[in-house]
Amino acid sequence: MTTLMHAPLTCSLAARIAAAEGGVSLNTEYLNLRTKTLENGTSLYDINPLGQVSVLQFDNGEILTETSTCLLWIQSQSQNSHFHRAPDSPDYFQMLRWIAFCATELHKQIFRVVFYPEATDSVKDKIRDLAPLRFDVLNKHLADRQFLLGDNFSAADAYLTWFFVLAENARLNPTEYEHLNAYRERVLSRPLIRALIESDRLKDREMNQQIIPEV
């Protein structure tokens, strides 16, 4: 079975969410962020030289890195017709669009700086000032749809859902955006997602990290 290298509450949670919602089975190897060591004693650097999650490792030893790529692989394996988007589907490139949006405009553009310990408070505040425009884009897009691609949850939604798991810690507030906030409440209340978030929080405490994840 394919194994996900996963640090609780980090971006690899998006991959766990996608797998759960898509009905795709994954092994999970938990990573301690402080030591970059997996529970089996392996250094993450031995698997991914960048020392970052998300990482999928296949039975033949090959790996996939980058959260966006892992999400695309997971959704490609799903037998759930409401979750899976085939490359010839009209929704496929819209899914790519929103996965890329989450990766570049939210994850790396905002979280990567806001959670970077070496960044000054003034720099972090300037980065937070980028959020309203991005929230407005999402708010308008979600005005007439339940999820990013319409009526059904997708791999792109898994990525955006993870963003909202950490948004409060990043001091980002989407609540004034009516449609975006309704979306946030909707996805975070999904039973499988609620269970995964709680599981990650418990695991984070068990591993005695209790830190804002390196995202």
Side-chain angles (χ1 to χ4, degrees):
M1 188 184 297
T2 302
T3 297
L4 174 70
M5 314 300 167
H6 172 57
L9 300 176
T10 66
C11 56
S12 48
L13 176 56
R16 293 192 77 201
I17 290 170
E21 292 284 350
V24 177
S25 296
L26 295 175
N27 285 328
T28 301
E29 286 283 353
Y30 287 96
L31 170 73
N32 187 303
L33 277 177
R34 295 185 186 279
T35 63
K36 297 288 187 177
T37 303
L38 298 165
E39 285 192 311
N40 64 11
T42 302
S43 170
L44 184 62
Y45 289 106
D46 291 336
I47 301 168
N48 178 9
L50 294 179
Q52 297 176 346
V53 291
S54 303
V55 180
L56 289 173
Q57 186 172 48
F58 303 109
D59 289 341
N60 63 4
E62 291 187 358
I63 66 166
L64 281 182
T65 63
E66 308 302 326
T67 300
S68 54
T69 309
C70 293
L71 289 172
L72 289 172
W73 182 86
I74 289 167
Q75 84 91 34
S76 76
Q77 303 302 301
S78 176
Q79 300 300 309
N80 182 339
S81 61
H82 296 297
F83 182 82
H84 175 75
R85 270 74 176 181
D88 60 352
S89 164
D91 282 341
Y92 186 77
F93 284 97
Q94 289 299 320
M95 179 183 66
L96 296 185
R97 167 196 178 190
W98 290 111
I99 287 177
F101 181 93
C102 291
T104 59
E105 301 298 336
L106 301 178
H107 184 178
K108 293 301 184 180
Q109 180 82 279
I110 296 178
F111 273 1
R112 185 65 185 91
V113 178
V114 170
F115 288 129
Y116 191 62
E118 283 77 10
T120 65
D121 289 342
S122 62
V123 168
K124 292 179 181 182
D125 285 341
K126 288 180 180 178
I127 293 300
R128 289 187 184 98
D129 288 343
L130 299 175
L133 178 58
R134 285 145 183 80
F135 286 174
D136 190 55
V137 168
L138 288 164
N139 189 60
K140 289 175 181 176
H141 179 72
L142 292 164
D144 59 353
R145 47 179 62 85
Q146 292 287 299
F147 302 103
L148 289 171
L149 302 185
D151 294 332
N152 296 306
F153 191 94
S154 70
D157 293 294
Y159 211 164
L160 185 53
T161 299
W162 166 73
F163 175 82
F164 287 123
V165 172
L166 293 185
E168 184 176 352
N169 284 341
R171 289 168 44 198
L172 300 171
N173 181 14
T175 57
E176 66 185 80
Y177 299 86
E178 177 185 1
H179 308 299
L180 181 59
N181 189 53
Y183 169 91
R184 180 185 67 86
E185 293 178 348
R186 191 157 52 245
V187 295
L188 292 177
S189 68
R190 291 171 73 86
L192 291 174
I193 292 174
R194 278 206 320 267
L196 285 173
I197 294 170
E198 181 59 25
S199 172
D200 259 24
R201 286 174 175 159
L202 289 172
K203 191 66 177 178
D204 189 56
R205 290 195 289 271
E206 176 188 320
M207 297 173 76
N208 199 30
Q209 296 185 131
Q210 299 180 16
I211 56 173
I212 299 298
E214 297 174 15
V215 296

